[in-house]
Amino acid sequence: MRIAILNKDRCQPRRCSHECEKYCPRVRTGDETIVFGEDGKAVISEELCVGCGICINKCPFDAIMIIGLPEALTEPTYRYGENGFALFGLPVPQVGKVTGILGPNGIGKSTAVQILSGTLVPNFGEEKGDWDRVLEYYAGSALYDYFSDVVDGNVAVSQKPQYIDMIPKAFKGKTSALLEKTDDRGVLDNLVESLDLAHIIDRKISELSGGELQRVALAACMAKDADFYFFDEISPYLDIYQRINSAQLIQEIAKEKAVLVVEHDLAILDMLADTVHVAYGQPGGYGVMTHPKGVRIGINQYLKGYLPEENVRVRPEAIKFEMHPPRTETDMVSLVEYGDFSKKYGKQGEDGFSLKTTGGSLKEGEVLGIVGPNGIGKTTFLKILAQEVEPDVGTVDVDIKIAYKPQYIKADMPVRVQDFLRGVTRRFDTSYYQAEIAKPLQLEPLYDKIVTDLSGGELQRVAIAACLSQEADLYILDEPSAHLDVEQRSLATKAIKRFAENSKKTAMVVDHDIYMIDMLSERLIVFEGEPAVYGEAHEPMGMQDGMNKFLANLGITFRRDEDTTRPRVNKVGSRLDREQKSKGEYYYYKIDE
């Protein structure tokens, strides 16, 4: 089966010569394989198309995809009209379990949730959906009873959105007012305490940071009385402690309700979910939801890039984790050395925040990971290194040029992406730039988009590229994993690491995704202390020592999976967890058995 996809946002018939129609061999023989509809956009006949690919290459705006589907895919569950995105299969929510969805952005996860909530009716590729046909189609399956309840109006849905930075645009007022509106279950006080929201409850939504907004969104979703809970990415802007805490709260809800979670932090998904559906396909073209798999098996198959039950390869290469703990400190040349320094915010005798730092060195060609809870002084530390902030005690005499990607990215430039990047670097049109930065970060499809129109994940990739594009000695990236899916995180990791190694530059990465830190870092700077009160930054240390110190503060242990050598969180109190803690080995004690 073959489907034709037209991206109507990219199709600009007034700015082209209708190359898709002009060069189509079937049109030249008299067939109406490509015509132009009432809206002026191209319409491609999938029955007449021979899949030659000429229209794909000739379209000046890359608006066309011709996709050959696996033979097993015959009838889509839902399709957005002619030449629109097609979704095959659905996840199966189960009461008493957390069901995960693992797959790239733009693969149909949100469409699946709209169907499960009853907002969209499966149309099986037809013009309009019909619930009677849906019930007939799913008769005898696990989804029949669920859709019967949807039809009868007996399914209430609570959803946490992916992009929480849109909340202040939709709601004006205090945090307490928003949360009180959602408290159907009478559990608001417990959620405020569990998610540490007491200190922001009287603040305006517009004044909250990304991490605070994320926890407010989680509380609002959990407070509702629903039958089906959907959480779209719980991890962005949360530190690992907050991620684990949120996952445990979601598991409590799943004891009595059906819960569906989309999450790209694989360590958290592994710990949180009972089963996973792997979503594969072509983003923006079509998506396929597999049958449920055990969470360990599903994640491992996705990382390897091959789904044996479906006999489908979803990625040409596996995502690999190097197994080399402890990592020895490299013999690279030091870029800069800094001494002890400290900084305090707040007047003498009043409550405030203080940061104390032990001196260390940064080396050429290495990637240095920075880990620690939110509100512990990581951003202050980076600003002092960048000489944006002066320390109170000690001096930082760093005579180097620094490029900085902030944690919170503002899109306030109404220009095309390629024009924006050209303004940042003179190397934009070089083959090196396109191969080492643009291609791994998948920037080419974004070139003609306006920066202010980018999604969170698209904006993140552009921001990473803009940082790496600058002429600097030290590159600082604050949470580069936010809003990126698993594959994008892997590609961004490779881009950052190769850039540092090939150009002999130093990169410092602040992130809470253990997988990304594990793949990126040669050494770690660990922050300890009490969030919003005081923080202490230790000198750079090897991965084994650094992760042991960091995880000991969190009280969790990690092991390696035997198939993929990826990090896995041990269940607290399990035999392996107790054994590792007794030996002080919190990080990759041994291969998972």
Side-chain angles (χ1 to χ4, degrees):
M1 180 179 174
R2 182 185 300 113
I3 62 172
I5 304 295
L6 179 76
N7 188 322
K8 292 193 175 184
D9 292 333
R10 290 186 190 172
C11 181
Q12 303 289 333
R14 294 181 180 179
R15 295 173 54 196
C16 72
S17 301
H18 293 193
E19 285 89 346
C20 56
E21 179 188 36
K22 184 183 298 183
Y23 291 100
C24 176
R26 294 300 297 265
V27 171
R28 289 186 170 191
T29 62
D31 291 333
E32 293 186 341
T33 308
I34 299 178
V35 297
F36 287 84
E38 294 180 359
D39 59 356
K41 308 285 185 177
V43 178
I44 305 170
S45 170
E46 293 171 348
E47 291 76 17
L48 297 176
C49 176
V50 295
C52 65
I54 292 176
C55 59
I56 301 174
N57 296 319
K58 291 294 183 180
C59 177
F61 304 108
D62 294 323
I64 299 172
M65 289 188 286
I66 307 295
I67 304 169
L69 298 178
E71 292 182 6
L73 302 179
T74 56
E75 189 175 56
T77 305
Y78 189 87
R79 190 163 191 193
Y80 288 93
E82 192 172 23
N83 298 151
F85 177 87
L87 174 67
F88 296 83
L90 287 172
V92 183
Q94 299 181 65
V95 175
K97 289 186 177 182
V98 177
T99 302
I101 301 179
L102 175 58
N105 291 326
I107 209 73
K109 298 185 290 287
S110 297
T111 299
V113 171
Q114 286 183 283
I115 292 173
L116 292 173
S117 67
T119 305
L120 291 179
V121 183
N123 60 14
F124 305 106
E126 302 295 332
E127 186 175 340
K128 190 176 180 181
D130 178 74
W131 279 119
D132 290 334
R133 187 185 173 190
V134 171
L135 293 176
E136 181 182 349
Y137 182 88
Y138 287 106
S141 72
L143 280 171
Y144 177 81
D145 291 337
Y146 181 86
F147 279 130
S148 295
D149 289 336
V150 170
V151 172
D152 295 336
N154 295 328
V155 175
V157 178
S158 181
Q159 181 174 350
K160 188 208 82 70
Q162 178 182 8
Y163 299 119
I164 46 91
D165 49 353
M166 302 299 290
I167 295 175
K169 298 179 181 179
F171 181 85
K172 308 292 183 183
K174 288 187 176 182
T175 303
S176 56
L178 172 63
L179 292 177
E180 286 167 3
K181 286 175 60 177
T182 64
D183 189 24
D184 301 331
R185 299 168 56 215
V187 295
L188 183 57
D189 291 342
N190 291 334
L191 289 172
V192 167
E193 181 181 354
S194 299
L195 292 169
D196 191 24
L197 297 175
H199 66 289
I200 65 168
I201 199 73
D202 292 322
R203 284 164 54 188
K204 292 183 179 179
I205 287 290
S206 58
E207 299 172 352
L208 302 185
S209 68
E212 291 165 344
L213 271 175
Q214 188 70 267
R215 284 178 283 140
V216 168
L218 286 167
C221 181
M222 295 179 192
K224 291 181 180 178
D225 187 11
D227 305 287
F228 171 46
Y229 291 82
F230 173 64
F231 297 89
D232 198 344
E233 291 194 40
I234 67 171
S235 63
Y237 308 123
L238 299 186
D239 62 41
I240 189 169
Y241 175 82
Q242 294 166 336
R243 295 179 186 195
I244 291 173
N245 183 45
S246 300
Q248 291 170 341
L249 291 172
I250 291 172
Q251 287 175 322
E252 286 295 316
I253 292 176
K255 290 180 179 179
E256 299 178 353
K257 305 290 184 176
V259 175
L260 188 66
V261 175
V262 175
E263 182 52 60
H264 301 302
D265 184 334
L266 295 185
I268 297 301
L269 181 66
D270 190 13
M271 186 191 98
L272 173 62
D274 298 293
T275 60
V276 297
H277 294 262
V278 177
Y280 68 91
Q282 189 162 338
Y286 78 102
V288 183
M289 296 283 175
T290 68
H291 293 297
K293 303 173 183 283
V295 64
R296 176 178 175 271
I297 292 172
I299 291 176
N300 284 356
Q301 289 181 359
Y302 187 75
L303 289 174
K304 291 177 180 177
Y306 177 67
L307 309 177
E309 291 88 356
E310 291 78 14
N311 193 25
V312 171
R313 179 161 293 283
V314 298
R315 193 184 313 103
E317 296 180 356
I319 297 175
K320 296 180 180 179
F321 295 84
E322 299 177 25
M323 186 180 174
H324 51 182
R327 297 183 181 180
T328 58
E329 190 169 322
T330 60
D331 295 325
M332 299 176 186
V333 177
S334 290
L335 170 71
V336 66
E337 296 188 7
Y338 59 92
D340 299 353
F341 61 84
S342 62
K343 178 70 178 178
K344 181 175 175 59
Y345 292 97
K347 296 180 180 179
Q348 192 70 28
E350 296 182 3
D351 292 337
F353 175 79
S354 61
L355 171 67
K356 178 183 176 182
T357 299
T358 302
S361 64
L362 311 179
K363 299 188 174 185
E364 292 182 355
E366 79 167 340
V367 179
L368 197 66
I370 299 179
V371 294
N374 285 335
I376 207 73
K378 298 188 297 294
T379 301
T380 298
F381 171 78
L382 295 176
K383 287 183 176 179
I384 290 175
L385 276 187
Q387 297 183 312
E388 293 182 14
V389 174
E390 288 288 332
D392 297 329
V393 178
T395 58
V396 178
D397 187 15
V398 181
D399 187 19
I400 57 174
K401 191 172 182 182
I402 295 176
Y404 179 56
K405 186 205 81 69
Q407 178 182 9
Y408 304 118
I409 308 165
K410 293 183 179 179
D412 52 6
M413 299 180 64
V415 298
R416 292 191 308 165
V417 169
Q418 60 177 316
D419 295 332
F420 167 69
L421 292 175
R422 277 199 177 97
V424 175
T425 178
R426 292 175 295 177
R427 299 179 297 167
F428 179 81
D429 293 308
T430 65
S431 58
Y432 170 83
Y433 185 91
Q434 295 300 322
E436 297 296 328
I437 295 179
K439 186 176 180 181
L441 292 173
Q442 300 173 324
L443 297 180
E444 190 173 344
L446 309 180
Y447 283 163
D448 289 322
K449 285 191 174 184
I450 305 300
V451 172
T452 51
D453 295 337
L454 298 178
S455 68
E458 293 169 341
L459 188 61
Q460 186 71 258
R461 282 145 51 200
V462 171
I464 294 171
C467 180
L468 299 182
S469 297
Q470 299 176 48
E471 293 292 338
D473 304 297
L474 173 62
Y475 295 80
I476 300 173
L477 298 102
D478 200 343
E479 286 210 42
S481 71
H483 299 309
L484 299 186
D485 62 39
V486 175
E487 297 198 33
Q488 290 168 346
R489 292 182 189 200
S490 175
L491 292 170
T493 297
K494 290 179 181 178
I496 296 168
K497 195 171 183 67
R498 287 185 61 176
F499 175 81
E501 292 175 349
N502 293 341
S503 59
K504 301 297 182 184
K505 302 293 186 180
T506 305
M508 301 179 75
V509 176
V510 180
D511 214 287
H512 301 292
D513 185 332
I514 295 297
Y515 281 35
M516 194 165 193
I517 289 293
D518 180 72
M519 289 191 289
L520 263 176
S521 308
E522 288 294 330
R523 295 187 297 159
L524 284 182
I525 295 179
V526 180
F527 280 72
E528 294 181 304
E530 185 178 344
V533 179
Y534 75 94
E536 181 179 358
H538 295 278
E539 65 179 335
M541 59 187 74
M543 284 291 290
Q544 186 77 12
D545 293 338
M547 288 302 294
N548 273 339
K549 181 179 286 291
F550 175 53
L551 296 177
N553 294 331
L554 295 174
I556 61 174
T557 56
F558 275 85
R559 67 190 186 277
R560 278 198 183 273
D561 182 81
E562 62 179 347
D563 289 339
T564 59
T565 66
R566 64 183 171 88
R568 300 194 72 196
V569 181
N570 291 322
K571 185 177 180 180
V572 176
S574 66
R575 176 191 62 80
L576 194 54
D577 181 64
R578 297 194 308 271
E579 182 181 336
Q580 289 185 222
K581 287 178 178 176
S582 67
K583 296 186 177 183
E585 297 288 349
Y586 288 78
Y587 180 64
Y588 297 163
Y589 177 57
K590 62 181 180 179
I591 291 289
D592 182 23
E593 296 176 350

